[in-house]
Amino acid sequence: MIQAEINTGIQLSSNIENSDNPSVNLSKVIESLTSRNKTAIEKVEKQINEELSLLNDDKNQPDYLEKLNRSAKYELKCNYDLWNNNYDEAFVNAEKAVHELSDDIKLLGYRAFWLYLAAYSAYEIFQKTQDPIDKKKCIRCIAEMHSASQYTPWFGKVIVPEFSESTNANESNFLDDSLSLLFENIETSLFSGNLKKTKLKYRKDVTKTLEKLKVEPDSKSNGKNGKIFEQGFQELGRLLGYRSENTVQDSAPDPWWFIDDTKVVVSECKIITEHIPTKYVRQAAGHKEWLMKNNIPGIGKDTSIITVFISNQTKLKSDARTFADNIYYLNQDALYKFAVSATNSGCLKIL
């Protein structure tokens, strides 16, 4: 039944994606289902039942079903072994299940799960025996689990602290915590209300933010433009899923983005008509200390703080170089182009 429901969802998504106006059709489907439209629900249920009939037909059974059938007996034995704290047998049966699930890309995620149980069993054995061979078994299973975790990123994050040097995951195989957090924040923002209204509001917000980040080359209203640009940079962080904050206190930094729980990017935004002077660079150099001393929630002694100077100007005055160590530079126009691309790609383009 679950497989039939997933297949139906994939088919619905494909139909929406290939339609003339995907965002409008997506809104209609979600609204009809969430409002419990009887006709829409019955239509989807009919599709699910048709998928279920196809799956129950022996002629339409997937190639990997036989692998699952062979693996099942070892999976069952492993579960009983784990329940009874019989980790030696649990490891053996988990390994046998993994062997049966090999050589099929569609089973990678499920295989990663059984590699996890095999690694857990080996770890429990090692805690009892302290035998290096048992430790190697655990490390091997974790390494294989990371390789099999392409479609199940949470398994790619699993390590054993004592074995950390030997079990570092391949970052290309899974999403890191910061990226997962961005997805969560964006989804929360986009789908917190009526999808149709959210769509309109989101596009308006994007348009306003891009206007604030765009600076005309011959602009002379420096103070005003700088404040507007600063607002745009903070809003861009929120649109992209970051926790983006600012303050109006004197000598305080311009907006800062929390990349994750341990890393923060803090900015100094200046829209000016001259080469970047010393006083602005000196201000930027003090932002890290300001954040550390002002008890900002989420910033502690272990937080990594990266300072970025953002400006429409590309050159420093000579005496400003003294204070420029450990400060990154980002050109205003490059940031604007990035903002246009970021707010019109991927999941954000749906709206």
Side-chain angles (χ1 to χ4, degrees):
M1 176 57 77
I2 292 174
Q3 200 168 358
E5 291 173 350
I6 291 173
N7 289 349
T8 300
I10 292 172
Q11 186 59 49
L12 280 171
S13 299
S14 179
N15 292 341
I16 291 169
E17 185 178 4
N18 295 324
S19 65
D20 293 333
N21 199 331
S23 60
V24 172
N25 288 331
L26 175 62
S27 297
K28 288 180 179 178
V29 169
I30 293 177
E31 287 176 6
S32 63
L33 294 176
T34 55
S35 63
R36 300 190 178 185
N37 181 293
K38 184 178 179 181
T39 302
I41 291 175
E42 287 179 349
K43 184 178 179 180
V44 172
E45 287 181 344
K46 182 181 178 181
Q47 286 180 262
I48 292 173
N49 288 330
E50 288 174 354
E51 286 289 335
L52 190 59
S53 297
L54 289 172
L55 290 168
N56 286 331
D57 186 344
D58 289 339
K59 295 180 181 179
N60 294 304
Q61 296 295 344
D63 296 336
Y64 54 78
L65 186 63
E66 183 56 36
K67 290 180 179 289
L68 292 172
N69 286 336
R70 292 199 302 266
S71 174
K73 61 181 179 181
Y74 300 120
E75 296 172 14
L76 188 62
K77 289 179 181 179
C78 180
N79 277 302
Y80 276 111
D81 293 332
L82 289 172
W83 183 264
N84 292 310
N85 298 326
N86 186 355
Y87 297 113
D88 292 283
E89 287 300 314
F91 177 78
V92 170
N93 285 309
E95 287 255 278
K96 288 180 179 179
V98 167
H99 175 74
E100 297 295 347
L101 297 169
S102 300
D103 303 322
D104 196 315
I105 192 171
K106 294 178 181 177
L107 298 178
L108 272 178
Y110 194 52
R111 188 167 180 265
F113 170 72
W114 282 98
L115 282 163
Y116 170 79
L117 291 184
Y120 170 75
S121 301
Y123 178 76
E124 289 294 335
I125 295 170
F126 173 70
Q127 293 302 300
K128 182 179 179 180
T129 66
Q130 293 297 303
D131 188 332
I133 294 177
D134 294 324
K135 179 179 180 179
K136 288 181 179 179
K137 288 179 181 178
C138 179
I139 292 172
R140 173 177 57 79
C141 289
I142 291 177
E144 290 182 26
M145 176 183 64
H146 290 160
S147 298
S149 66
Q150 181 178 358
Y151 305 111
T152 47
W154 46 93
F155 284 120
K157 300 173 188 175
V158 175
I159 62 170
V160 180
E162 301 97 303
F163 306 163
S164 58
E165 291 185 5
S166 305
T167 60
N168 286 334
N170 185 342
E171 292 185 2
S172 64
N173 286 337
F174 60 90
L175 304 174
D176 60 26
D177 290 333
S178 59
L179 195 55
S180 299
L181 182 61
L182 292 188
F183 290 156
E184 182 180 340
N185 290 343
I186 291 171
E187 288 176 355
T188 300
S189 175
L190 293 183
F191 300 108
S192 59
N194 179 281
L195 188 60
K196 188 173 183 179
K197 292 181 179 179
T198 300
K199 169 190 171 181
L200 296 174
K201 183 179 183 301
Y202 174 78
R203 294 317 313 176
K204 287 181 180 178
D205 289 345
V206 167
T207 301
K208 290 179 181 178
T209 297
L210 293 179
E211 280 295 318
K212 293 175 181 178
L213 292 173
K214 188 175 184 179
V215 177
E216 298 299 333
D218 58 349
S219 176
K220 296 182 180 180
S221 182
N222 303 331
K224 181 180 179 182
N225 276 339
K227 285 297 180 183
I228 292 174
F229 180 84
E230 184 181 322
Q231 292 171 7
F233 182 64
Q234 182 180 6
E235 292 169 6
L236 177 63
R238 290 174 179 168
L239 286 172
L240 299 182
Y242 295 101
R243 180 179 147 204
S244 180
E245 298 183 0
N246 200 1
T247 179
V248 295
Q249 293 184 33
D250 293 337
S251 71
D254 290 335
W256 57 91
W257 296 3
F258 283 83
I259 304 304
D260 55 31
D261 291 338
T262 62
K263 186 176 293 183
V264 173
V265 171
V266 60
S267 69
E268 178 65 32
C269 303
K270 293 298 179 187
I271 305 302
I272 51 180
T273 56
E274 58 183 353
H275 292 345
I276 301 169
T278 304
K279 62 178 181 179
Y280 294 151
V281 180
R282 187 187 290 117
Q283 285 179 13
H287 290 345
K288 179 176 180 179
E289 184 178 2
W290 190 95
L291 289 174
M292 296 294 290
K293 288 186 175 181
N294 280 270
N295 299 317
I296 304 298
I299 295 180
K301 62 180 182 179
D302 296 325
T303 304
S304 173
I305 300 176
I306 300 170
T307 304
V308 179
F309 195 101
I310 307 173
S311 179
N312 59 324
Q313 294 297 317
T314 59
K315 295 182 179 180
L316 283 173
K317 289 190 174 180
S318 58
D319 55 348
R321 300 178 185 277
T322 306
F323 304 95
D325 288 348
N326 300 317
I327 299 177
Y328 290 86
Y329 169 79
L330 178 61
N331 181 258
Q332 166 269 325
D333 188 56
L335 176 65
Y336 173 75
K337 290 176 180 177
F338 163 76
V340 172
S341 174
T343 54
N344 285 279
S345 63
C347 64
L348 300 181
K349 196 171 183 180
I350 292 175
L351 298 177

